[in-house]
Amino acid sequence: MIDYTGKLNEKKDYLRILEKLKSKTSYIEIVILDGRKTNELVTMFQSDIISHNKVNRWWGTITKGQNNLYRIKSSDELFNYLKKFETFCKYYHYGTTKKSLNHGDYSEDTDFGIDDIAFYDINGNTLLNTTTHEGYIMISEEIML
């Protein structure tokens, strides 16, 4: 996996990666944070849910509380839904914007929200995952080809 943090700050880059993911993704996982049971994505794709588990750890994250992790099968409709968002999250390195001059590195939430998402191929290999509220994104070398 390659650190891709800050590289999907622009909508055009986000849409380009979604297009690459679309043909390779078998299912996604989404972790609903802050003790919530669901979000709009889970509600909209209720009939495509493969599994639902309570977790306190997932791709690089460990928490004290239990969070809801949903595995949802991939579909054209799912990717069309994801295209409506600006991007998953934004991350800025110190000095890259006027906002950051006094703040150091920081992340910004987007209209996607704070929930973490991951994309998997048919063999269960991770293609992309986020720690959205932190602004972190990891991507498979396979997607970068």
Side-chain angles (χ1 to χ4, degrees):
M1 297 294 284
I2 300 167
D3 184 355
Y4 216 61
T5 300
K7 295 192 171 66
L8 295 183
N9 287 356
E10 301 295 325
K11 175 103 181 193
K12 66 179 175 49
D13 299 322
Y14 170 73
L15 292 175
R16 182 179 51 80
I17 290 299
L18 283 180
E19 279 304 312
K20 287 185 172 190
L21 287 167
K22 184 177 177 180
S23 64
K24 297 177 186 285
T25 300
S26 178
Y27 63 91
I28 67 160
E29 289 182 341
I30 187 155
V31 179
I32 311 302
L33 300 176
D34 292 344
R36 295 175 297 125
K37 292 184 180 183
T38 190
N39 69 7
E40 183 181 275
L41 186 152
V42 172
T43 300
M44 287 195 65
F45 294 93
Q46 190 76 33
S47 63
D48 293 332
I49 293 174
I50 298 167
S51 65
H52 169 229
N53 297 299
K54 296 275 190 177
V55 297
N56 66 355
R57 60 176 57 206
W58 58 95
W59 51 93
T61 300
I62 300 173
T63 66
K64 291 179 183 176
Q66 295 287 308
N67 294 279
N68 289 288
L69 182 147
Y70 293 90
R71 183 174 287 182
I72 300 171
K73 74 177 180 177
S74 181
S75 66
D76 289 343
E77 294 79 16
L78 175 65
F79 277 88
N80 287 337
Y81 174 81
L82 291 172
K83 286 178 184 178
K84 80 175 194 167
F85 297 106
E86 179 183 6
T87 186
F88 297 122
C89 52
K90 294 182 177 185
Y91 188 89
Y92 297 99
H93 298 289
Y94 180 78
T96 57
T97 69
K98 288 183 180 181
K99 282 184 177 180
S100 68
L101 292 178
N102 296 320
H103 300 290
D105 291 359
Y106 71 98
S107 65
E108 282 183 9
D109 293 341
T110 68
D111 55 349
F112 181 76
I114 62 169
D115 299 323
D116 296 346
I117 190 168
F119 297 77
Y120 296 89
D121 69 14
I122 194 143
N123 298 315
N125 298 312
T126 307
L127 301 171
L128 180 142
N129 66 55
T130 71
T131 307
T132 309
H133 67 286
E134 299 281 343
Y136 303 143
I137 299 173
M138 298 296 290
I139 194 165
S140 165
E141 290 179 21
E142 177 182 345
I143 298 300
M144 297 310 302
L145 298 176

